[in-house]
Amino acid sequence: MTLLDCIKLGLRRAGLSESTTTYQTYARDFFNHGKDDVASRSRWRWLRTKSSTFDVSSSDRTYSLASDVLYPIAFYHKDDAFRVTVQTPERTYEIDPGDDTTGRGDAVAVAGLDSSGNWEIEFSNIPDNSTDTYFYTYQATIGDKTASNDSTSLNADMPLHIQQALQHYIASEMIGLFAGPEDPGSQAEMGRYEKRVAMAMKNEKGLNGNQRHRFNRRNSRSSAVPQPIINWPISN
């Protein structure tokens, strides 16, 4: 399904002309709002996982991540090939209450957003080697769509059932735009959107397949089942 297909189906559900340019523009904006909403609902496995790097500089504790980071996943010291521990900001301050310890950055905390709205991280130790490179993986945002994307398939961004859910979101917002958000038609379409998203989240949990976890027998001295390790590095 292309972006324009999704927009037109949403307009059709709202009882509006599919070919009116103004309606298409409104519907495209609502599509962008909707895809951001659904992306934020869960750590979807269909969201694209990407990676990036950044170089540290001596005396700088805080660094900004890429502008398309939705959720950071993991951090690694690329040169020494080890995984960096992710702590809470409170824990990093407990590690270094004086905020002046230098050394290799072995732990980071996701500290919030910078002035540009990008995720920001801070190290528990202030890196003292300006040649160190860190590698991180993340779930990426879905870029906003414009009229130039109308003929582009949405399949690379989201599965079909999410595309279908967004048709209801568009219809609800378009009806609400002209008839008011309290209109029964708008509320009905939003209800269908919410139902589809809830079902998608439920089905997402089933993607673990037949994975099993074996528990120790009573009086067993065997060690616990080891947890899987994320391989490094992960390619783009």
Side-chain angles (χ1 to χ4, degrees):
M1 183 187 303
T2 66
L3 173 61
L4 188 58
D5 291 335
C6 186
I7 287 173
K8 286 185 174 181
L9 287 168
L11 291 173
R12 186 184 304 171
R13 294 195 64 87
L16 297 171
S17 170
E18 303 172 23
S19 58
T20 301
T21 303
T22 301
Y23 291 167
Q24 291 181 4
T25 299
Y26 292 155
R28 194 178 298 108
D29 289 341
F30 290 136
F31 174 90
N32 286 327
H33 295 166
K35 54 88 175 171
D36 288 341
D37 176 73
V38 74
S40 69
R41 297 290 188 98
S42 178
R43 294 292 183 94
W44 301 105
R45 298 192 185 202
W46 49 263
L47 276 175
R48 186 169 299 175
T49 300
K50 299 176 67 175
S51 63
S52 186
T53 62
F54 61 90
D55 298 324
V56 297
S57 57
S58 299
S59 75
D60 288 338
R61 180 189 296 276
T62 305
Y63 297 86
S64 295
L65 305 182
S67 60
D68 65 339
V69 174
L70 181 61
Y71 297 116
I73 298 175
F75 297 85
Y76 307 86
H77 190 293
K78 187 172 184 180
D79 304 302
D80 294 344
F82 74 90
R83 183 169 180 171
V84 177
T85 302
V86 178
Q87 304 280 4
T88 64
E90 293 77 12
R91 178 56 181 158
T92 60
Y93 289 125
E94 290 175 1
I95 295 172
D96 182 21
D99 201 28
D100 56 2
T101 303
T102 61
R104 191 175 68 173
D106 293 346
V108 298
V110 179
L113 303 178
D114 64 16
S115 59
S116 299
N118 301 325
W119 283 107
E120 191 172 67
I121 59 103
E122 59 182 25
F123 285 94
S124 59
N125 292 329
I126 301 173
D128 60 357
N129 189 344
S130 59
T131 64
D132 284 356
T133 299
Y134 286 80
F135 170 94
Y136 64 96
T137 58
Y138 61 94
Q139 282 190 310
T141 58
I142 303 171
D144 283 346
K145 306 300 183 183
T146 66
S148 64
N149 304 118
D150 279 354
S151 60
T152 303
S153 174
L154 296 172
N155 293 343
D157 292 316
M158 62 193 71
L160 180 60
H161 60 278
I162 299 298
Q163 299 173 36
Q164 293 169 339
L166 288 173
Q167 295 167 23
H168 296 292
Y169 186 94
I170 292 170
S172 174
E173 294 291 353
M174 290 298 296
I175 296 171
L177 180 64
F178 294 104
E182 302 302 322
D183 182 86
S186 176
Q187 293 186 355
E189 287 295 328
M190 186 57 69
R192 295 183 182 102
Y193 165 75
E194 293 289 353
K195 184 176 180 179
R196 281 183 173 267
V197 172
M199 182 61 68
M201 293 174 67
K202 181 178 179 180
N203 291 339
E204 182 95 352
K205 295 179 180 179
L207 292 181
N208 289 328
N210 60 356
Q211 186 180 43
R212 296 181 179 179
H213 301 280
R214 185 175 63 185
F215 295 94
N216 292 339
R217 295 179 179 177
R218 183 177 297 179
N219 299 325
S220 171
R221 295 183 179 180
S222 61
S223 60
V225 178
Q227 297 297 314
I229 299 175
I230 296 178
N231 293 329
W232 179 91
I234 301 174
S235 61
N236 287 317

